[in-house]
Amino acid sequence: MARKITKAVFPVAGLGTRFLPATKASPKEMLSLVDKPLIQYVVEEAIAAGIDEIIMVTGRNKSAIEDHFDRSVELEHTLEAKGDAERLRLVQQIAGMVDFCYIRQNEPKGLGHAILRAKKLVGNEPFAVLLGDDIIHSPRKPAIGQLMEVFRKTGAPVVAVEQAPMENISAYGVVAPASRRGKLTHVRSMVEKPQREKAPSNLAIIGRYVLTPDIFARLEATEPDYKGEIQLTAALNALARRRKVLALEFEGIRYDAGDKLGYLRATVEFALRHPDLGRSFRDFLKGLPL
Ligand code: G1P
């Protein structure tokens, strides 16, 4: 099987309940982080890693995502008429970023089910998966690119992991290591959101994956869990019994932008790093009576 990855699946059908009421009528992926919607950071990460086709698995109330990555002829005309070349470039750039296709997940049956919806569009190729809640700052090499590099060398499916504090471990899929070599772990098994006492390690799965097409058969064979959801972690666990699956502790800072506090952290840190705003924002923070 070829080891070049060109397609990425973005499951974006989630209801964003952790972020209500902000997400009642607009998608959580469109919440703005400083001056760009969250989803654009993740799309830019994929493009920086060499992805040239993005498959968005969407749901109801998500048309703003499609519109954001489409042309906006009216806006372009207005900016052109005003002679605002800088902003015109900005909006045109977004529409021309990469090829997008959209498919609906019309039932809320979990992450595994969302990925299964992309089966036909992915075809018989390895592919990347990026979850929009996880924003990763990694200026040297995009996080998904780091996983793709491991895949190029090994041909094995790879999940991103980081060491999480044990008090939060139940929020994640967790890897049980068979063996570890530096940042790379050979996965023995994995379990979705275990109770803290039952967690097999502190290696928490973060929303970046490189998967091989044999995951689809495992997803099809996965029974829904107690919530009626088909979990990707369960399918990957089944895959790990049949072939080598790896976990990579990637380089970069990850923010859980689907959570209110995580989103605030991301907002402050991205604003501090922003080339135009960073300096004045820092001065503003220093002046706060904390
Ligand atoms: C999903 C995955 C979980 C992973 C997490 C990372 O869970 O099911 O294994 O640890 O993303 O963000 P969710 O947070 O969507 O419930």
Side-chain angles (χ1 to χ4, degrees), residues 18 28 111-112 131 133-134 160 169 171-174 191-193 204-209 227 229 231-233 254 256:
R18 284 193 293 163
K28 62 174 172 178
L111 176 59
L131 306 190
D133 282 352
D134 290 323
I169 202 75
Y172 300 96
V174 182
V191 52
E192 180 68 6
K193 304 196 173 84
I205 300 174
I206 302 305
R208 301 291 184 273
Y209 308 78
K227 286 194 285 186
E229 294 185 354
Q231 296 300 342
L232 175 59
T233 305
R254 172 257 181 180
D256 180 4

Side-chain angles (χ1 to χ4, degrees), residues 99-148:
D99 279 341
F100 290 95
C101 35
Y102 296 87
I103 184 158
R104 286 245 185 171
Q105 180 189 19
N106 30 31
E107 296 164 293
K109 284 195 179 163
L111 176 59
H113 178 258
I115 290 168
L116 208 41
R117 294 288 296 139
K119 179 180 170 183
K120 274 202 199 130
L121 290 167
V122 167
N124 193 29
E125 291 178 31
F127 61 103
V129 174
L130 295 93
L131 306 190
D133 282 352
D134 290 323
I135 300 292
I136 302 177
H137 174 69
S138 174
R140 217 180 53 81
K141 182 149 210 178
I144 193 63
Q146 297 173 40
L147 270 66
M148 285 158 66

Side-chain angles (χ1 to χ4, degrees), residues 33-102:
L33 185 52
V34 187
D35 55 2
K36 284 189 279 194
L38 290 171
I39 189 78
Q40 192 175 331
Y41 288 88
V42 189
V43 165
E44 286 174 359
E45 178 188 328
I47 294 171
I51 295 294
D52 60 23
E53 186 179 335
I54 290 181
I55 301 162
M56 297 257 185
V57 184
T58 70
R60 271 187 291 279
N61 281 339
K62 299 283 180 169
S63 52
I65 300 176
E66 248 172 282
D67 291 342
H68 183 71
F69 292 106
D70 194 2
R71 300 230 2 225
S72 173
V73 178
E74 211 181 350
L75 182 60
E76 287 178 29
H77 279 330
T78 312
L79 293 171
E80 214 167 357
K82 279 196 198 160
D84 193 339
E86 172 68 20
R87 291 200 175 86
L88 181 63
R89 195 185 50 82
L90 214 64
V91 298
Q92 283 176 336
Q93 217 176 30
I94 296 169
M97 275 182 156
V98 70
D99 279 341
F100 290 95
C101 35
Y102 296 87

